[in-house]
């Protein structure tokens, strides 16, 4: 409770400071709007449905890209974990490409796919897949062999060992990887939406981009806040329960 | 009139014949077992004692079918072990409970792999063994919430539940307090007598070995060899604190001491 009050006070102070600086008139109001300006933009955008529509468009792209990243990344991670060959080839490739900031995929995406949905999907998938692949293969490789041995003496083998022992044992690593993958997907998509300006769907990134085009700083700041909120909300709704489960079962964290 | 060789008259449940095993490590080749032979009859309770690192766990892993011997052969019921099997359950030296399952789930794991059992029957069996080890109050507990001794008891229940013919136990009671341990000595002896299991039991505690075993085999330091065997004919159930148990224990301890480098003999 005390910690919550402390955090609340901190953010309230931040808003007050912002208000004070904005009112002092050091910068033009168009460059530094007041908290109220931003709030009223958000109110307007929420009322006419722009915000909700943009959020939904963005979430749809995000989920699609993330799902593709998982569906490709986890099996590839399994392959990378299974053998030294996999580790020295796929594993190394993933390690390299993971170091590439996802915006760097954009020029390639734009040249290959142009200003299309595919370009955005490509960037999100490329931004996600390598970290998921690595987390999956690291997780599988750090399963203590004693679990598999114990299971084998009890008559478990093949697919049963995989689904009942190896995957559950690697679950904590998988969740960490999925979370990281989600964070990367989110960042990649925002980069993609800012650069890929198309009419097939107006996402939060595009809203941000047009805020800049229109010199509407209240829009820029407002959309930034929404992006933060969506990121946090997903973390709370999707990952927190999973992590809590792991925490009680494994006693970790 | 023909006389049968002794092995035919009393066929071995487990026959270890001239088994050697070495491990390749970064530091070089470690010979863990060298020409080990031992025969264990059906229903026999054999204890294996020996200094740390002499290859006791290695031998158990080989009999379990988890590893392959470099030389020699291991027969179970007269046939070479094809690999791990439900007929030979292992209670490992380190805790090998699954942290993603609770106590009940861990105990059910092996039972679920046993065909021809209804879910209710499985539950009943699991419950029976958990009760036996005194954990009926912790069915839904997570593994990390258990003490070291409780974990060992779950592992025991998990190994007993599928009713294996052969049970291999690797220093199972090391982490237990004396009271619980003594109670489990009693339980283990009665389970063994009731179900006629063949048990291969590894321990550092010579008295424990005398208390439980029909036979105590002692191993030399690495590379492990079985050097001497002691038959224990004391009446059962035995009490670990009894004088005759202590006396034979003393004798075996002396024999062990002679095997150590610097020992006499
Ligand atoms: N997987 C392995 N890789 C390399 N060396 C091993 C491996 N397992 C065992 N060893 C080596 O083989 C020897 C015998 O090991 P083992 O675990 O069988 O000993 P132990 O008799 O069970 O000892 P303790 O009583 O301490 O449990 C040891 O020197 C050990 O270092
Ligand atoms: Mg050992």
């Amino acid at each position: 409770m005390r910690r919550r009050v402390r955090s609340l006070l901190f953010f309230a102070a931040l808003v007050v400071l912002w208000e004070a600086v904005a009112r002092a008139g050091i910068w033009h109001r168009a460059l530094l709007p007041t908290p109220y300006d931003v709030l009223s933009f958000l109110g307007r955008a929420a009322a006419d449905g722009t915000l909700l529509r943009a959020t939904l468009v963005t979430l749809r792209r995000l989920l699609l890209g993330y799902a593709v990243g998982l569906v490709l990344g986890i099996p590839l991670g399994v392959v990378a974990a299974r053998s030294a060959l996999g580790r020295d080839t796929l594993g190394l490739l993933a390690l390299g490409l993971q170091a590439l900031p996802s915006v760097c995929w954009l020029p390639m995406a734009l040249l290959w796919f142009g200003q299309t949905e595919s370009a955005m999907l490509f960037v999100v998938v490329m931004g996600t897949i390598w970290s998921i692949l690595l987390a999956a293969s690291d997780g599988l490789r750090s399963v203590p062999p004693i679990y598999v041995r114990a299971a084998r003496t009890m008559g478990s083998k093949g697919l049963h060992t995989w689904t009942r022992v190896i995957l559950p044992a690697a679950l904590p690593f998988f969740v960490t990887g999925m979370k990281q993958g989600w964070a990367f997907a989110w960042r990649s998509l925002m980069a993609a939406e800012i650069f890929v300006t198309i009419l097939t769907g107006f996402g939060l990134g595009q809203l941000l981009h047009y805020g800049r085009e229109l010199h509407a700083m209240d829009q820029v700041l407002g959309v930034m806040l929404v992006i933060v909120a969506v990121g946090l909300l997903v973390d709370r709704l999707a990952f927190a329960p999973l992590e809590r489960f792991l925490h009680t079962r494994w006693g970790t964290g | 009139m023909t006389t049968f060789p002794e092995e035919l008259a009393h066929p071995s449940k487990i026959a270890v014949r001239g088994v050697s095993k070495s491990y390749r490590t970064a530091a070089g080749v470690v010979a863990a077992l060298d020409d080990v032979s031992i025969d264990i009859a059906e229903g026999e309770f054999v204890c294996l004692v020996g200094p740390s690192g002499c290859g006791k766990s290695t031998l158990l892993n080989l009999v379990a079918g988890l590893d392959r011997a470099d030389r020699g052969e291991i027969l179970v019921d007269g046939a070479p072990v094809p690999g791990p099997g439900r007929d030979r359950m292992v209670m490992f030296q380190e805790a090998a409970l699954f942290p993603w399952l609770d106590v009940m789930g861990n105990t059910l794991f092996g039972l679920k792999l046993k065909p021809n059992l209804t879910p209710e029957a499985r539950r009943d069996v699991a419950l029976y063994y958990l009760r036996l080890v005194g954990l009926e109050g912790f069915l839904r507990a997570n593994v990390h919430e258990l003490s070291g001794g409780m974990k060992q008891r779950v592992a025991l229940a998990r190994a007993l539940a599928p009713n294996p013919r052969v049970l291999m136990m690797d220093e199972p009671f090391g982490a237990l307090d004396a009271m619980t341990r003594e109670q489990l000595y009693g339980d283990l002896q009665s389970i063994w007598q009731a179900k006629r299991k063949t048990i291969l039991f590894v321990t550092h505690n010579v008295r424990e070995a005398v208390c439980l075993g029909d036979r105590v085999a002692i191993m030399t330091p690495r590379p492990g060899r079985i050097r001497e065997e002691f038959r224990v004919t004391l009446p059962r159930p035995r009490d670990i604190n009894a004088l005759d148990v202590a006396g034979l224990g003393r004798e075996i301890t002396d024999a062990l001491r002679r095997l150590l480098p610097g020992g006499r003999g």
Side-chain angles (χ1 to χ4, degrees):
Chain A
M1 201 58 220
R2 267 192 58 193
R3 286 176 52 200
R4 213 166 275 180
V5 171
R6 207 159 55 183
S7 308
L8 210 69
L9 282 177
F10 170 74
F11 286 105
L14 221 55
V15 172
V16 169
L17 186 72
W18 171 11
E19 178 82 33
V21 173
R23 275 173 189 238
I26 308 170
W27 292 280
H28 192 275
R29 185 123 176 215
L31 288 182
L32 186 65
T34 62
Y36 179 77
D37 295 335
V38 173
L39 208 65
S40 67
F41 159 77
L42 286 175
R44 269 178 282 125
D48 68 10
T50 322
L51 217 50
L52 184 65
R53 239 173 296 130
T55 306
L56 289 180
V57 166
T58 294
L59 281 180
R60 204 194 59 225
R61 286 175 184 151
L62 191 62
L63 282 177
L64 182 66
Y66 184 59
V68 173
L70 281 181
V71 165
L72 294 179
I74 289 179
L76 287 175
V78 172
V79 172
R82 285 298 298 266
S83 65
L85 178 70
R87 190 178 344 163
D88 296 341
T89 52
L90 261 178
L92 218 54
L93 179 75
L95 208 61
L97 293 181
Q98 193 221 199
L100 190 67
S102 44
V103 221
C104 302
W105 289 103
L106 263 164
M108 192 176 183
L110 287 169
L111 286 174
W112 277 3
F113 301 101
Q115 306 269 349
T116 59
E117 288 286 336
S118 310
M120 281 186 277
L121 182 66
F122 178 76
V123 173
V124 175
V125 171
M126 285 300 140
T128 322
I129 190 171
W130 311 114
S131 70
I132 289 177
L133 192 162
L134 284 177
S137 90
D138 283 351
L140 291 176
R141 264 189 286 119
S142 41
V143 171
I146 187 77
Y147 293 157
V148 176
R149 293 164 80 84
R152 285 176 63 204
T153 62
M154 289 186 274
S156 166
K157 49 180 169 260
L159 191 63
H160 186 274
T161 308
W162 268 92
T163 55
R164 301 301 166 83
V165 182
I166 298 177
L167 292 181
L171 195 63
F173 291 89
F174 274 33
V175 171
T176 311
M178 279 166 65
K179 215 178 136 168
Q180 197 188 26
W182 176 264
F184 280 142
W186 188 224
R187 284 159 179 69
S188 319
L189 181 61
M190 286 307 103
E193 283 193 344
I194 288 173
F195 280 91
V196 181
T197 50
I198 48 171
L199 300 174
T200 49
F202 220 67
L204 288 172
Q206 276 117 6
L207 223 52
L208 191 60
H209 173 75
Y210 284 108
R212 183 192 71 113
E213 299 265 282
L214 302 168
H215 288 275
M217 195 61 186
D218 54 348
Q219 180 170 340
V220 169
L221 285 172
V223 175
M224 279 169 71
L225 284 177
V226 173
I227 291 172
V228 168
V230 171
L232 285 179
L233 212 64
V234 169
D235 190 75
R236 276 293 114 120
L237 294 182
F239 292 106
L242 208 54
E243 284 179 316
R244 245 193 325 275
F245 166 75
L246 290 181
H247 179 76
T248 50
R249 262 297 152 83
W250 264 257
T252 51
Chain B
M1 223 171 120
T2 46
T3 52
F4 289 100
E6 202 185 35
E7 321 156 31
L8 279 184
H10 304 281
S12 304
K13 180 72 185 172
I14 300 169
V16 178
R17 302 266 160 80
V19 162
S20 300
K21 172 80 184 172
S22 51
Y23 290 103
R24 221 176 294 281
T25 64
V29 177
V30 179
L33 293 175
D34 182 37
D35 194 20
V36 168
S37 296
I38 188 170
D39 275 85
I40 301 172
E42 170 97 55
E44 200 180 9
F45 198 138
V46 173
C47 294
L48 208 54
V49 293
S52 180
C54 71
K56 303 181 295 294
S57 301
T58 304
L59 183 58
L60 250 55
N61 281 328
L62 293 175
V63 177
L66 289 167
D67 288 321
R68 298 233 153 268
D70 300 337
R71 248 174 306 121
E73 58 176 359
I74 295 176
L75 309 175
V76 173
D77 292 325
V81 283
R86 227 194 335 268
D87 57 320
R88 284 158 286 130
M89 211 59 88
V90 187
M91 198 180 150
F92 292 92
Q93 187 170 5
E94 65 251 68
L97 297 178
F98 301 142
W100 58 93
L101 298 174
D102 59 18
V103 167
M104 192 63 181
N106 269 285
T107 314
L108 280 171
F109 190 93
L111 285 168
K112 284 190 178 158
L113 284 155
K114 245 185 127 163
N116 308 326
L117 276 177
T118 63
E120 295 75 45
R122 291 192 174 106
R123 260 198 82 82
D124 289 347
V125 172
L127 210 55
Y128 170 81
Y129 284 103
L130 285 171
R131 210 169 270 145
L132 187 71
V133 297
L135 287 176
E136 67 272 28
F138 294 88
L139 302 183
R140 295 269 84 98
N142 296 308
V143 172
H144 72 94
E145 294 161 346
L146 303 175
S147 73
M150 288 159 88
K151 284 184 192 141
Q152 290 289 47
R153 285 188 272 158
V154 179
L156 180 61
R158 178 172 81 169
L160 288 171
N163 194 21
R165 297 308 308 142
V166 177
L167 186 58
M168 283 172 278
M169 308 174 78
D170 201 345
E171 299 180 34
F173 300 148
L176 298 180
D177 64 283
M179 294 294 285
T180 315
R181 198 156 48 195
E182 280 172 33
Q183 180 218 324
L184 283 173
Y185 291 152
D187 292 341
L188 189 58
Q189 289 186 74
S190 53
I191 290 168
W192 168 74
Q193 276 178 324
K195 311 243 168 165
R196 297 314 297 178
K197 288 185 196 306
T198 307
I199 300 184
L200 183 52
F201 188 102
V202 168
T203 175
H204 279 140
N205 185 336
V206 174
R207 266 221 238 165
E208 183 174 276
V210 174
C211 174
L212 295 173
D214 291 321
R215 202 153 34 112
V216 179
I218 60 177
M219 287 178 79
T220 62
R222 191 158 37 98
R225 282 204 181 114
I226 292 178
R227 183 52 70 83
E228 261 179 89
E229 291 185 21
F230 294 80
R231 202 157 272 290
V232 188
T233 49
L234 306 173
R236 291 179 188 272
R238 299 175 195 147
D239 175 4
I240 189 147
N241 298 313
L243 270 179
D244 41 6
V245 169
L248 187 51
R250 170 97 263 159
E251 203 181 308
I252 297 176
T253 307
D254 288 340
L256 263 173
R257 203 166 283 141
R258 281 197 297 277
L259 295 179
L260 289 176
R264 293 159 287 126

